[in-house]
Amino acid sequence: MGLIVAGERSGVGKTTVALALLAAIAQRRQSIQAFKVGPDYIDPMFHQAVTGRPSFNLDPVLTSEAYVCQCYQQQGHGADFCLIEGVMGLFDGAASGASATDAWGSTAHIARLLDVPVLLVLDCSRLSGSVAAIAHGFRTLDPQINLVGVVLNRVASDRHLELLQAALAAIHLPILGVLRRHKAIALPDRHLGLVPTAELQDFAHIVAQLAELGRTCFDWSQLTPLLQAHPMQVHPTAPVPHHSRPAAVELPNPRPRIAVARDRAFSFYYADNLTTLERLGAELIPWSPLNEVALPPGTRGLYFGGGFPEVFADALSDNQPGREAVHAAIAAGLPTYAECGGLMYLCHSLTDFEGKSWAMAGSLATDAIMGDRLVLGYRRAIAQQDTPLVNSGAEVWGHEFHRSHLSHSPPAPLYETRGYHPQSPINSEGWAFHNVHASYIHLQWGHRIELPEKLVNACSKP
């Protein structure tokens, strides 16, 4: 069935716990499929780097309950074990409903939907006896949640552990892992979360530490049967739409080559976006705007994901031939899809946190400027124009997460957007011209096969 690693709140160490479990299993040469609740790119990067398998996002806001069930069943099939890393606190989601337990898109929502047991990570750095009250509250708040045990993180000493054990014994809740403070593994972070694995020079050493942590700090006699991936039957509230079901696809001949920006500056991609494009017949060619001076031969489309172009703005700017190749291709009408960091790269310039301005591809008549304000949240977006991905009038759900803004608005915005709540204000956003679809909004389109189909078809035209 698999297991969800949840936290009492953000920052309690659930990513470290999840990675330690993944690393320990991978070290034993057993297959484990990882998943991540919510709209996250970096945690799945770590999952894949540790397990050697793409990690998939389970997000019913960006997709649907039916798609979450389908994805979990399909991607977990054939693996020895399945592990889901939660998001924020167990009951934190996009919005609360009639009670405190039914926040849509929360870890608890996914646990109920998939009928998967929950392992709760508790930050014990400032707790002793009160840990029992917290754990008891999480276990009893929602009777549908099967809380099978806890992991005690940031335990200071043997005496501290004895106090925690005594408190939890009173409520008969198993302790399935104990992580000491001095064993904590520091994963560096910056303004949008953890530093991606490609930038960590000592990542192999970190993985070895995680595997040792996983091997020595958990009760594997109880965890192993919980993690095992058994066939599952889940019952979503709605059937999987016909257009999202896998089907035989008549591949274009030749297959359209889509150059995908993949380097340290651009690394934010949902695994199912890439696999769906390939299933639809596209040949995905990794390409580095940082290092390569020309587009791959035969490129018929461009895909720029998000990432950290602001961190590498000087190197992106220094690669003038690469920038000019992109600019010329877009001016010639090459179908181009760009999200967030990709949007920023297509601007005239990018001003970094230090106020330095760097030349970018120059395809958009605006400049990207880094700032302190964090723009974060789900977005309901209605397309106002046709693009290589959407038709005018199409409604999509996406997610924004950035600290930059644009100096000028588009003359004819791509989207009309509003937040998750119906009362949120309406805004305009995104650029659409010359076969370009560029937006701050990240999309997960595995459940909306018509979107990548449109992109592949645009790239297949002579």
Side-chain angles (χ1 to χ4, degrees), residues 263 265-266 287-293 308-325 344-352 356-362:
D263 55 24
F266 302 98
W287 171 73
S288 172
L290 282 171
N291 303 311
E292 297 185 51
V293 298
F308 293 101
E310 65 274 18
V311 176
F312 303 98
D314 55 344
L316 289 169
S317 183
D318 284 345
N319 185 8
Q320 182 176 346
R323 292 189 288 108
E324 291 176 346
M344 295 161 63
Y345 178 69
L346 297 187
C347 293
H348 276 312
S349 70
L350 194 165
T351 300
D352 63 21
K356 297 179 181 178
S357 182
W358 306 93
M360 294 289 115

Side-chain angles (χ1 to χ4, degrees), residues 99-456:
S99 70
T101 64
D102 61 356
W104 193 268
S106 67
T107 305
H109 181 189
I110 301 302
R112 290 192 300 268
L113 182 65
L114 301 179
D115 191 22
V116 174
V118 173
L119 178 66
L120 183 68
V121 181
L122 299 169
D123 180 356
C124 301
S125 57
R126 294 176 178 83
L127 287 175
S128 57
S130 296
V131 71
I134 295 171
H136 178 69
F138 274 93
R139 183 169 63 175
T140 58
L141 183 63
D142 184 353
Q144 295 184 67
I145 299 298
N146 179 19
L147 182 58
V148 292
V150 296
V151 173
L152 307 181
N153 193 22
R154 299 168 187 150
V155 176
S157 64
D158 290 344
R159 177 56 182 161
H160 186 200
L161 178 58
E162 290 172 0
L163 294 172
L164 297 167
Q165 290 171 326
L168 290 167
I171 63 170
H172 308 288
L173 186 60
I175 299 171
L176 301 185
V178 176
L179 279 66
R180 304 294 184 123
R181 286 185 191 175
H182 69 275
K183 287 188 176 180
I185 297 173
L187 297 174
D189 60 8
R190 55 175 172 234
H191 55 283
L192 293 182
L194 295 177
V195 174
T197 55
E199 297 180 49
L200 301 179
Q201 296 182 351
D202 60 344
F203 187 64
H205 177 64
I206 292 174
V207 173
Q209 287 183 301
L210 287 166
E212 178 66 12
L213 198 69
R215 188 182 65 82
T216 60
C217 296
F218 294 92
D219 185 343
W220 285 100
S221 65
Q222 296 190 66
L223 282 174
T224 298
L226 293 170
L227 285 160
Q228 286 175 339
H230 299 297
M232 55 177 290
Q233 292 294 328
V234 293
H235 303 284
T237 57
V240 178
H242 175 72
H243 61 252
S244 71
R245 300 176 191 270
V249 176
E250 184 177 346
L251 301 182
N253 188 18
R255 300 172 66 191
R257 307 189 95 201
I258 300 178
V260 182
R262 297 297 294 266
D263 55 24
R264 292 179 299 163
F266 302 98
S267 56
F268 291 3
Y269 296 92
Y270 289 123
D272 40 5
N273 282 12
L274 299 176
T275 57
T276 301
L277 285 174
E278 290 181 320
R279 196 181 86 230
L280 291 172
E283 181 184 2
L284 304 185
I285 310 298
W287 171 73
S288 172
L290 282 171
N291 303 311
E292 297 185 51
V293 298
L295 297 176
T299 294
R300 302 297 298 276
L302 296 174
Y303 185 178
F304 292 94
F308 293 101
E310 65 274 18
V311 176
F312 303 98
D314 55 344
L316 289 169
S317 183
D318 284 345
N319 185 8
Q320 182 176 346
R323 292 189 288 108
E324 291 176 346
V326 170
H327 182 89
I330 289 176
L334 194 71
T336 301
Y337 178 73
E339 288 184 345
C340 199
L343 162 75
M344 295 161 63
Y345 178 69
L346 297 187
C347 293
H348 276 312
S349 70
L350 194 165
T351 300
D352 63 21
F353 284 112
E354 297 178 354
K356 297 179 181 178
S357 182
W358 306 93
M360 294 289 115
S363 298
L364 306 183
T366 187
D367 304 288
I369 303 169
M370 300 306 300
D372 294 330
R373 177 173 174 262
L374 176 63
V375 179
L376 169 67
Y378 288 108
R379 300 289 183 264
R380 173 179 172 265
I382 299 176
Q384 305 300 298
Q385 301 184 62
D386 292 340
T387 78
L389 192 81
V390 297
N391 290 321
S392 179
E395 178 180 309
V396 294
W397 277 93
H399 188 264
E400 282 191 81
F401 189 40
H402 56 91
R403 291 190 183 274
S404 69
H405 65 276
L406 302 183
S407 61
H408 296 84
S409 299
L414 164 58
Y415 287 131
E416 180 182 276
T417 70
R418 80 184 326 153
Y420 187 83
H421 297 279
Q423 298 81 11
S424 58
I426 297 175
N427 296 300
S428 296
E429 194 273 344
W431 294 69
F433 71 99
H434 285 325
N435 255 350
V436 171
H437 177 125
S439 169
Y440 270 120
I441 296 177
H442 297 278
L443 301 178
Q444 185 181 356
W445 60 47
H447 70 306
R448 294 283 299 274
I449 202 73
E450 72 275 15
L451 303 181
E453 275 181 342
K454 192 173 190 296
L455 180 60
V456 171

